[in-house]
Amino acid sequence: MNRDPAATSSIFFDGSRLTLARQLAGLRKSELAARLGKSPTAVAAWEAGTKRPTPANVAQLALGLSVDPGFFTARSNSVASISGVPHFRSLRSTTQIARDQAFAYGQMAVDVAVGLERHVEFPAVDIPLVPVEAVDAMDDAPEQAARHLREAWGVGHGPIRNVVRELENHGIVVVFSPLQTATVDAYSFYTQLRPIVVLNPIRKDYYRQRFDVAHELGHLVMHGDAEPGSRTIEDQAHRFAAELLMPTNEIEPLLPAAMNRAAWVTLAKLKEQWGVSLQALLFRARRLGRLSDASYRNAMVTLTSRGWRRDEPGIVNVLEQPSLLPQAVDLLAQVGINKADLVDECRIPTSLFRTIVARTPMQASHLEADQEHRARQTLSLLEGGLGGSEQSALNHRSPSG
């Protein structure tokens, strides 16, 4: 019986899994080829499926990309092929490599969620789709979409107590991204398996995080087929989030009509009550006509002078935490299915699995320790599983494919 994981993965090799692993590592095809001592043509052929790598090639790929050989075996679903285009905040400020890496991570999170669903029942996906045209318009389509969602989800009146929990209760996966993709802000995309929202791991502001989550929900509700990244698309998602978190008919009478000392006290109270930033409240006051443009600008100057544009004062310091995946892992542990079993089933690096199912962002020290352990484990496994000629090929890399 053949127990060589590299040989088995060579037989069932799926080129799209190599693409995924390469993007997770943040590498171009040429960079991966150079790392392996192979030609870019060889890497391209493996990813396209026109050539199949040998067991020795698979071993090199596993080592070079810090994954197990089993990562490359075919799955029942390719998440990328059944996913919509990710919505990133600014296409200009992030490189294509960074966006590919972030999208690959999101795909892996969906993959893990689907794997956990083999053992645990998750809430059904329940997102009312309200397509909004990505054109400049003065209508209130984004606000209508937000009001429709509040009604469909039975949110009721008043502040939403926990935005992340609302998404998870309606079947949306919410996770923190790893530190290596922290240059990309919060993003989202829809898949036929599970929609997902990925949060930035270094943003520590409770109030702005809630707005980020509502913003990404807006994309899922309104922009399933829209081209991401435009100013109009982002403005519509902002307006959706503002209406979702601060409904017009409830917040408008509470907002100050002029800026003075009493107005700042009022804004501070509203911030804690509704769980939104001072900047969001001021923007809302201007959009609803409570504040003039001049009053709004003066208020923003005050925020800037006090350093509040980046670090606002606030009472709540703990971020809203995802619980759908972490609770599933905890529940399975109670019936004897531990994380190691789940990692083996998902066939992804332990550090990646831990990041995906974490309630809080993973710290760099934890990730580095996991990656070092994975590298030693993979090297030991491959040295024990390769035959003599294949081990020689691994040790003496050829420049050809």
Side-chain angles (χ1 to χ4, degrees):
M1 182 176 181
N2 184 5
R3 296 183 180 276
D4 182 350
T8 302
S9 294
S10 174
I11 296 171
F12 298 107
F13 191 87
D14 182 350
S16 68
R17 298 291 295 180
L18 172 56
T19 302
L20 190 60
R22 174 177 60 78
Q23 291 175 338
L24 279 170
L27 297 174
R28 298 180 176 85
K29 293 177 185 178
S30 59
E31 292 170 335
L32 175 59
R35 178 177 293 189
L36 301 177
K38 299 292 182 180
S39 69
T41 303
V43 173
W46 294 337
E47 291 193 10
T50 56
K51 287 187 178 181
R52 191 178 72 187
T54 66
N57 296 148
V58 172
Q60 287 180 286
L61 290 169
L63 280 173
L65 295 171
S66 299
V67 298
D68 284 336
F71 184 94
F72 302 114
T73 58
R75 303 294 199 276
S76 59
N77 288 299
S78 170
V79 178
S81 66
I82 54 175
S83 299
V85 180
H87 284 277
F88 297 112
R89 296 292 176 85
S90 176
L91 300 182
R92 294 182 178 180
S93 63
T94 55
T95 65
Q96 185 63 52
I97 289 293
R99 295 197 298 271
D100 288 344
Q101 188 177 31
F103 185 31
Y105 174 78
Q107 293 174 59
M108 291 307 308
V110 173
D111 214 19
V112 168
V114 172
L116 293 176
E117 279 195 274
R118 298 189 189 102
H119 310 285
V120 177
E121 185 176 356
F122 286 167
V125 176
D126 175 25
I127 303 179
L129 302 181
V130 186
V132 174
E133 293 294 326
V135 295
D136 290 309
M138 297 303 293
D139 62 29
D140 64 343
E143 289 79 9
Q144 289 182 25
R147 290 192 286 269
H148 177 71
L149 182 126
R150 283 185 72 108
E151 181 178 356
W153 282 7
V155 173
H157 299 291
I160 298 177
R161 295 304 174 190
N162 191 306
V163 185
V164 168
R165 196 78 70 250
E166 283 291 336
L167 269 66
E168 293 185 320
N169 287 342
H170 292 87
I172 302 171
V173 173
V174 182
V175 298
F176 285 104
S177 70
L179 293 175
Q180 60 264 35
T181 62
T183 56
V184 177
D185 214 332
Y187 59 98
S188 58
F189 58 92
Y190 205 99
T191 81
Q192 295 175 22
L193 300 171
R194 286 275 164 187
I196 185 166
V197 171
V198 183
L199 303 177
N200 190 294
I202 61 175
R203 174 164 285 190
K204 304 298 184 182
D205 191 311
Y206 162 83
Y207 309 90
R208 292 177 179 172
Q209 183 218 43
R210 283 167 53 88
F211 200 92
D212 283 349
V213 175
H215 176 105
E216 297 306 323
L217 177 59
H219 285 314
L220 294 176
V221 170
M222 300 185 297
H223 300 139
D225 298 322
E227 188 69 24
S230 73
R231 179 175 297 179
T232 300
I233 287 288
E234 293 304 307
D235 179 64
Q236 288 175 344
H238 268 66
R239 289 166 55 191
F240 175 98
E243 181 67 28
L244 183 70
L245 298 177
M246 300 168 283
T248 299
N249 62 342
E250 297 184 61
I251 198 72
E252 185 174 9
L254 306 177
L255 293 169
M259 292 308 300
N260 48 40
R261 287 187 178 181
W264 286 106
V265 173
T266 297
L267 289 173
K269 291 179 178 179
L270 292 175
K271 172 173 181 165
E272 304 305 333
Q273 180 184 358
W274 292 86
V276 294
S277 67
L278 294 174
Q279 293 179 68
L281 286 164
L282 287 167
F283 182 84
R284 196 82 170 117
R286 182 184 66 166
R287 185 167 189 87
L288 295 178
R290 294 288 291 175
L291 285 182
S292 66
D293 288 345
S295 294
Y296 172 78
R297 286 195 298 270
N298 289 336
M300 296 304 290
V301 168
T302 299
L303 287 180
T304 301
S305 66
R306 296 179 178 177
W308 292 351
R309 292 290 291 270
R310 291 185 175 272
D311 186 17
E312 285 189 9
I315 295 174
V316 184
N317 294 317
V318 179
L319 299 177
E320 292 185 356
Q321 299 179 358
S323 63
L324 185 64
L325 302 188
Q327 284 185 356
V329 171
D330 292 343
L331 180 63
L332 291 174
Q334 295 175 19
V335 296
I337 303 176
N338 59 37
K339 283 186 180 180
D341 298 325
L342 296 172
V343 168
D344 288 341
E345 188 173 307
C346 293
R347 295 180 179 178
I348 66 173
T350 302
S351 59
L352 188 60
F353 182 88
R354 288 181 59 187
T355 302
I356 290 170
V357 302
R359 286 183 170 85
T360 58
M362 293 288 287
Q363 299 300 313
S365 58
H366 294 156
L367 295 176
E368 290 168 359
D370 281 342
Q371 290 168 353
E372 183 179 351
H373 172 72
R374 171 61 61 179
R376 290 197 304 267
Q377 186 181 54
T378 302
L379 181 59
S380 176
L381 175 66
L382 295 177
E383 287 177 343
L386 291 174
S389 61
E390 291 171 336
Q391 182 65 55
S392 176
L394 178 59
N395 293 334
H396 301 87
R397 295 173 179 171
S398 167
S400 65

